[in-house]
Amino acid sequence: MTPIPSPADKFSFGLWTVGYNGTDPFGGPTRPALDVVHVVERLAELGAWGLTFHDDDLFPFGSSEQERRGQVDRLQRALAETGLVVPMVTTNLFSAPVFKDGGFTSNDRSVRRFALRKVIRQIDLAAELGAETLVMWGGREGAEYDHGKDIRAALARYREAVNLLAQYVVDQRYALRFAIEPKPNEPRGDILLPTVGHALAFIDTLERPELFGVNPEFGHEQMTGLNFVAAIQQALEAGKLFHIDLNGQRGIKYDQDLVFGHADLYQAFALVDLLEFGGPDGGRAYTGPRHFDYKPSRTEDETGVWDSARANMQNYLLLRERAAAFRADPEVQEAMAQAKVDELRVPTLNPGEGYADLLADETAWERFDAGAHFGARGYGFVRLQQLATLHLLGAR
Amino acid sequence: MTPIPSPADKFSFGLWTVGYNGTDPFGGPTRPALDVVHVVERLAELGAWGLTFHDDDLFPFGSSEQERRGQVDRLQRALAETGLVVPMVTTNLFSAPVFKDGGFTSNDRSVRRFALRKVIRQIDLAAELGAETLVMWGGREGAEYDHGKDIRAALARYREAVNLLAQYVVDQRYALRFAIEPKPNEPRGDILLPTVGHALAFIDTLERPELFGVNPEFGHEQMTGLNFVAAIQQALEAGKLFHIDLNGQRGIKYDQDLVFGHADLYQAFALVDLLEFGGPDGGRAYTGPRHFDYKPSRTEDETGVWDSARANMQNYLLLRERAAAFRADPEVQEAMAQAKVDELRVPTLNPGEGYADLLADETAWERFDAGAHFGARGYGFVRLQQLATLHLLGAR
Amino acid sequence: MTPIPSPADKFSFGLWTVGYNGTDPFGGPTRPALDVVHVVERLAELGAWGLTFHDDDLFPFGSSEQERRGQVDRLQRALAETGLVVPMVTTNLFSAPVFKDGGFTSNDRSVRRFALRKVIRQIDLAAELGAETLVMWGGREGAEYDHGKDIRAALARYREAVNLLAQYVVDQRYALRFAIEPKPNEPRGDILLPTVGHALAFIDTLERPELFGVNPEFGHEQMTGLNFVAAIQQALEAGKLFHIDLNGQRGIKYDQDLVFGHADLYQAFALVDLLEFGGPDGGRAYTGPRHFDYKPSRTEDETGVWDSARANMQNYLLLRERAAAFRADPEVQEAMAQAKVDELRVPTLNPGEGYADLLADETAWERFDAGAHFGARGYGFVRLQQLATLHLLGAR
Amino acid sequence: MTPIPSPADKFSFGLWTVGYNGTDPFGGPTRPALDVVHVVERLAELGAWGLTFHDDDLFPFGSSEQERRGQVDRLQRALAETGLVVPMVTTNLFSAPVFKDGGFTSNDRSVRRFALRKVIRQIDLAAELGAETLVMWGGREGAEYDHGKDIRAALARYREAVNLLAQYVVDQRYALRFAIEPKPNEPRGDILLPTVGHALAFIDTLERPELFGVNPEFGHEQMTGLNFVAAIQQALEAGKLFHIDLNGQRGIKYDQDLVFGHADLYQAFALVDLLEFGGPDGGRAYTGPRHFDYKPSRTEDETGVWDSARANMQNYLLLRERAAAFRADPEVQEAMAQAKVDELRVPTLNPGEGYADLLADETAWERFDAGAHFGARGYGFVRLQQLATLHLLGAR
């Protein structure tokens, strides 16, 4: 009855997600780390399609080149045996003490240079593994206080860094694009490029904006109380949804990284509806990886880890079914019409109309009956929301 | 397929809810006020059981005694004709300019005396109409700044006020109890007794605490990011859940008063499960009114008003069905056992055991294997949450 | 001892700010409206420089052309007599029932056309009065639910609207620029272009981006928990800070519109420091109006209105003094140096350096001592923050 | 010019505060742990009065009795040499894997018994060291999901646990009281007894409520957006402020533990004013330890640790000076009178007056002029707040 995931669904997981050992600010590990080969095998069994990782997930910070190569080779053999792919990699510029004030925007210039080298090394690995996307989450790029960080300078340094990386990728003829992942805070008090909007605006200032998009994370946007699905739509409209991180967050608090679908179900429903059926002719609006960036709760042992991995995919697929039924329901279509949802897609101006024509149109102003909207012409938004509720609950 | 409400479900609505005319901080009414008789008739048709109101909802602030009586009589006739009851009334101590700094805790003593008189008048009406509960929402009891309001004095004045009212009710032999409704902010910057916890603590300081309980509102508690269902459980454990306000709120922001079930579905699901099946032997944990304190969106005309009223009840009943199926599912029961949910109901101490026995029990400390909890003894909370998800989505 | 405002400080106030009558979601007016001529006279006496207004502030929605002209003429005479200017005007597309689903992005196309006409009329008035900026706050452009509003279509319609208005302004040769004012929510559940970031990204998609900037409001950004001063720096770096709204907000809750300086003093201090001394050579980083968009508390009578207006300006000027002293303090300069604040302004790459050079620099990677950052090389950010605290408190 | 702390100020620090090594959810330590003897010596030099600690801070979880005794002895020698005292200790029931679902309220009964033993052991140590207060922060007592934790049962187990501990303390004739420390979330999704209000209400249900009070933490209450100073006043009014944790938090987000005074200055100012001058005759309202529970930022080395420790005390003392001047200012006193702050301390009823007298008083209702509050009788709260601002900024 519940749908079964398959690689065609393009579900991917971070190595650091199922591999999370339970450490949090008030306690150490509650379970051992998982070996990457084991992770690849189990994910493949569960129907996942891809694995992603930070450099430091696979080989510890400061590994020798031999250690690094050994781990990469082990990963590649596991990929070959299971068919799993590595669609995305990312660089850890936040865990080691050297990055305590950030990587690309550390006040210490030598740290910034070191960070660039670390990312270039990871770009080479991305290319080697056939990854299409390099995600950049700048978790330490930020500040706790106002006067210790010149934000304009930080933006300039961030720009300098990613322009250099883009040049490198172009020159190496790597088929790699960059996806910036916004987050408002934690671990810094305030993080640079805190929302999808700020990241989109920043991208427009780059030398090669076409190589840069966003990797919005469900929970990160909700940590500000913003509407995640609205942010995704602005990213889609700008052609900038390069990757997406799915998980769950219960409101404005610390970063929870719950299973996708275990928190705000309405946003999850609207998101899946958008990604799967919001494209041209009701097709996919986004065809890239459905990437889960979550943490199995600290209370769980390894059984719970895999239960939680499965739950992410199951919820996505269930919501896809609910969304399909919602869209096919004639009463929904009728309510959509009453709410004039389609009418917003019609340009406000007639074809070829300019302001002069509009100023000459008395129906737009002189003879417009603004008062007719009092006590009438309701949009029926509540009815439409109730139909969505019934579909979400499987009650239609 | 969707369940139909009936008076046995004990659904009640505030007159100010369906009667809300759309006014908000940035705009005036978008629809006319509804007459009380019309409201009573329509609610009865929809299957509701009760109507509630503030004095000023039924007869405007400053009405003559004749106007007041006229409106009360009209209401009583409508109740008699429809069978609707008035299980609760409340007093408006927040709209008129005289209450700009509060009612019971206005810095102006004459205002406090006026407020007491207004409430006593409404208590008499409550008794006349057979209401069992007087709700007290102190929306203006609070402050924007720190130095203009002595909070300890405000608590003392609030206590003085409600002690007087309790004495009045006892002496009049009214079968009326008081329910304090907490809210953290809006319209004041900070409101006195901001959460269920603060109100429970305050009640313990009253002369007749047995007459006082809480009226928690779903959205109010969520305006602080607190877990509403946990608050309800603390109120139930204290025997203080006298009334409840159901609605919807999308996170920490202005007071939204959405339809119940149109926002946080997990909290709504857990709440209905608790109220309906959380009592002894799986019966009701709370038998009072299921009161909707919501606002039909400003975008709606009267059709939308009644659609939204119906949606509140429909969602409650659907969630009741889901909760019943969840509890009856053997796999859920098995997961509950793994998670040791029942084991928390077993006292930590053996019958008759004191600290001396515990100190003598080497299995509790000297021979206790704390290390066995690393990498094992997972609670399976994520699996249980996934089963809840599947039931909520109607997928089992 | 406390500084006195003068027109050179460029302080401006919205007519709707000092004119606010105390209405909020739970109560009607607590004081009468103020006549515009009286407002102009009093503001001039207090040392303000400018007055701003929405069309509906000056002449009620639906006024005849004669009524409108009468009010405009009264305003102009008062301006002439006092020397006050009108540096900005804005259009009310949110109060009347016709705008219940928005103006530029209402699902109802005829409403969108009406909205455009209303703004064009106000643009003409802006030009007549010599205003340099037209602010656009789209408070009703948004939704409460996910399925009733196609956000991509809404963005397209918003773009269509403002492109038309820009063409009009260009053709009329008006010296007018547009400033978009973001807000996350209230009165809609979620508002389009919710933060400075989202607005900046949107502007980049317009036909004439050079005519568009942002009008960030202190409290609006804080309603999401985001850092306002960081947002202002991103806007400044993009050359898009066209106007600014100053007020106060105590955290994530309803829109409070407190006096500037009556809430988050650190953010206020950092903001004034940035605006006044964050430009080239320590000069102003922003030379436009210092506009107060606040509300005198509902508890106040007219005396409180003017006390609050004065407090806004007084706090700005005091913080300017504190910031000047902070910057001039040698210990602050020394702490800045330790924190390497200036070093972030130095490009990460050497002049002419590309990635090949960086890859060849062994000090950047092979010989870089990452471990040296453990237990050493602290940034001293806390010390710097303490120096800021001492200056803010007037204790140095 | 800036005040110097001395033991008479009763400043105490947690060993885990200055000893924090920089670990957070996204990175490991950035500096080495500090030895307890070194901490005691440095704190004494800085003018602190007390040191507090969790058992696991001083001797690692699982230490042998010999290791434990060795560390206790080292601590005692350092205390003797410096004069520092240990006014409070607390028990770590949250870091070790065994506590992954809590201590007193773990679903696993054997864990609950182990937790009780661990606390009893720490109570004995508290008594040995002369501590007056045992703080209980139940950081892991909570849940991420709704169905895995029976909150009513959790409250019952928490009560069972602390009743047992109270009996133990009474029987041992220890001069020790308990202080419950609320927190809304982190590390659990929702924590039991999330606010001061919930804790106060819980205390009223205990067998020996007189032995229990609260230990409110500045930042914890602000993580819900609640007003900390209002909560302290409710605790004081109930006689339950047994201990207090001072620090800083910038709004609703992860637990920041900034230096006291480095975040919300208005709340800090109002708090110090209350604690120091809010008691009878303007004396101290609270005479216990001024305990700092903060974390030196991860960006700092040991120099920054001690700078931050000093800053906490310096800010407290500065705010005490500002508060004294505020209270002594005749204009403040005049504004307080206009705002009728004192009038709230006057009972609403006349001496001996009951409801019958009130009902007979026509000035309270029949002849009360509610309309006189429109446009007049402003409270001047904004003026009072501005006077507070000027004093806080050192500008009067």
Side-chain angles (χ1 to χ4, degrees), chain C residues 99 143 162 193 221 238:
Chain C
F99 298 126
V162 301
L193 307 179
E221 213 74 4

Side-chain angles (χ1 to χ4, degrees), chain A residues 132-135 169 175-179 210-212 239 241-242:
Chain A
E132 295 172 346
T133 308
L134 186 93
V135 160
V169 160
L176 192 69
R177 298 194 302 177
F178 299 87
E210 68 282 6
L211 289 183
F212 292 84
L241 186 64
F242 281 16

Side-chain angles (χ1 to χ4, degrees), chain B residues 199-279:
Chain B
L200 290 174
F202 174 73
I203 288 170
D204 283 317
T205 70
L206 300 180
E207 283 175 4
R208 300 177 185 274
E210 69 280 6
L211 289 184
F212 292 84
V214 287
N215 176 44
E217 179 167 322
F218 202 98
H220 289 181
E221 212 74 3
Q222 295 189 311
M223 288 169 71
T224 58
L226 293 174
N227 185 307
F228 182 68
V229 186
I232 294 299
Q233 287 178 85
Q234 188 167 354
L236 279 172
E237 214 236 1
K240 289 300 183 193
L241 187 65
F242 282 15
H243 200 264
I244 192 165
D245 276 0
L246 305 175
N247 59 18
Q249 172 77 17
R250 292 196 158 195
I252 306 180
K253 54 177 68 164
Y254 74 97
D255 188 11
Q256 294 195 280
D257 285 334
L258 301 172
V259 162
F260 179 67
H262 280 186
D264 186 336
L265 272 171
Y266 278 111
Q267 287 270 297
F269 179 51
L271 177 70
V272 172
D273 179 61
L274 171 67
L275 297 182
E276 297 292 326
F277 307 114

Side-chain angles (χ1 to χ4, degrees), chain A residues 1 15 78 91 96 121 128-130 136 184 244 271 273 299 386:
Chain A
M1 183 168 178
L15 176 53
T91 318
R121 187 185 63 162
E128 178 182 345
L129 296 174
M136 296 186 300
I244 192 165
L271 177 70
D273 178 62
T299 52
Q386 180 61 7

Side-chain angles (χ1 to χ4, degrees), chain D residues 45 51 60 84 86 104 129 134 144 157 161 212 214 219 236 272 280 292 306 320 337 395:
Chain D
E45 285 170 30
L51 179 79
L84 233 64
V86 173
F104 292 161
L129 296 173
L134 186 92
E144 285 70 43
R157 293 294 79 74
F212 292 84
V214 287
L236 279 172
V272 172
F292 298 108
W306 302 117
R320 190 168 73 188

Side-chain angles (χ1 to χ4, degrees), chain C residues 1-9 11 45-48 310 313-314 317-318 320-321:
Chain C
M1 182 169 179
T2 49
I4 307 297
S6 83
D9 298 313
F11 293 129
E45 286 169 29
L46 292 174
R310 190 186 294 109
M313 298 186 282
Q314 193 174 51
L317 294 175
L318 267 171
R320 191 167 74 188
E321 290 182 0

